[in-house]
Amino acid sequence: SVREILAELTGRKGGCAKGKGGSMHMYAKNFYGGNGIVGAQVPLGAGIALACKYNGKDEVCLTLYGDGAANQGQIFEAYNMAALWKLPCIFICENNRYGMGTSVERAAASTDYYKRGDFIPGLRVDGMDILCVREATRFAAAYCRSGKGPILMELQTYRYHGHSMSDPGVSYRTREEIQEVRSKSDPIMLLKDRMVNSNLASVEELKEIDVEVRKEIEDAAQFATADPEPPLEELGYHIYSSDPPFEVRGANQWIKFKSVS
């Protein structure tokens, strides 16, 4: 939930990883977070897909990475293993045109990311169109579940803001470029227009939803600053899922904690 995500960002007890993961390591049921190493989540995703196949639950793993990570060697190793073992894995490259501060043209000899799988079929999808993404994902999931192995999707999207707080986002592209994408291709705006034009919703209804969403975000932000930080002994918790308790050395080497599963 928004509340759990914001509380995780501020290192609070009510965060989805109890404040211990931060922005890069968020976990929840069936959500295996990010990874501090660029591209490292891709082989992790292939491993989760192996578990899906091994357990025979007809599940699929969606493994997401960006255009900046797409040139990592470990991604091609994961492709190879997933194809050999016919793993139910949808590899999704979110191509937002910039890896940190470098445009895709300057970083990749080929920007056809959907073709990078070589022996894995690929789709190029308009990532700014919610219905396109839904239908492409529906197709990809059915493909994986049919036992044919992995599939690759490139979602063509755009990053409005800088890569991080230290990146203003306009030193390697123009403000006009960002504004043009925002005014013509914003996914929320496009869906709103489509819904109103098709008489699926009224402008007033959508405004009410906006108000509710803003209230939810404000409440979550307040919770994220008021919720207590986790206690020091939390360091020893959840190291293993089912082992008997053992001693864990704390931040101070003279203080010991008992692990809790």
Side-chain angles (χ1 to χ4, degrees), residues 67-260:
D67 53 276
N71 301 315
Q72 280 275 325
Q74 58 189 324
I75 291 178
F76 298 91
E77 294 174 39
Y79 286 167
N80 184 59
M81 199 171 278
L84 277 174
W85 295 348
K86 288 190 162 44
L87 301 182
C89 190
I90 305 174
F91 293 106
I92 302 175
C93 177
E94 294 178 275
N95 177 7
N96 64 24
R97 291 168 48 183
Y98 295 93
M100 296 183 74
T102 307
S103 67
V104 290
E105 291 81 11
R106 292 181 62 216
S110 169
T111 56
D112 289 337
Y113 296 103
Y114 71 107
K115 293 181 181 177
R116 292 281 193 92
D118 188 11
F119 39 77
I120 297 174
L123 306 167
R124 176 177 269 169
V125 183
D126 181 355
M128 303 296 263
D129 186 323
I130 291 169
L131 299 183
C132 277
V133 174
R134 183 185 70 173
E135 292 310 308
T137 308
R138 196 199 301 272
F139 173 86
Y143 179 91
C144 286
R145 287 197 169 102
S146 70
K148 292 175 183 170
I151 193 167
L152 184 57
M153 278 168 57
E154 176 190 345
L155 301 186
Q156 293 192 310
T157 179
Y158 193 80
R159 196 185 74 210
Y160 292 153
H161 302 285
H163 172 76
S164 64
M165 288 176 71
S166 59
D167 173 14
V170 288
S171 55
Y172 44 86
R173 57 185 181 174
T174 63
R175 292 181 191 276
E176 289 73 29
E177 177 186 303
I178 300 166
Q179 196 49 47
E180 186 179 10
V181 176
R182 279 199 132 154
S183 61
K184 293 181 180 176
S185 308
D186 184 78
I188 296 175
M189 180 197 74
L190 289 176
L191 185 66
K192 275 184 178 179
D193 290 348
R194 189 179 280 171
M195 289 174 74
V196 171
N197 294 336
S198 304
N199 295 319
L200 294 170
S202 66
V203 175
E204 291 70 29
E205 281 179 288
L206 295 173
K207 280 181 180 172
E208 284 174 19
I209 292 172
D210 277 343
V211 171
E212 286 171 24
V213 168
R214 287 179 194 281
K215 186 178 183 307
E216 183 186 349
I217 301 297
E218 282 168 20
D219 290 346
Q222 283 184 350
F223 174 78
T225 51
D227 192 47
E229 292 181 359
L232 198 55
E233 58 266 24
E234 182 73 40
L235 278 172
Y237 297 171
H238 309 108
I239 295 173
Y240 294 105
S241 62
S242 58
D243 276 20
F246 54 92
E247 282 197 337
V248 179
R249 181 168 63 79
N252 179 331
Q253 63 175 324
W254 311 114
I255 298 174
K256 297 284 199 322
F257 299 113
K258 279 284 184 195
S259 71
V260 176

Side-chain angles (χ1 to χ4, degrees), residues 28-49:
K29 184 173 170 56
N30 293 333
F31 183 79
Y32 291 84
N35 198 296
I37 307 299
V38 174
Q41 71 276 17
V42 181
L44 179 67
I48 293 166

Side-chain angles (χ1 to χ4, degrees), residues 3-23 26 220-231 234:
R3 175 181 276 223
E4 287 176 313
I5 290 170
L6 292 187
E8 189 60 39
L9 289 174
T10 53
R12 309 295 170 141
K13 200 163 65 171
C16 57
K18 302 187 183 296
K20 294 189 285 188
S23 63
M26 294 192 181
Q222 283 184 350
F223 174 78
T225 51
D227 192 47
E229 292 181 359
E234 182 73 40

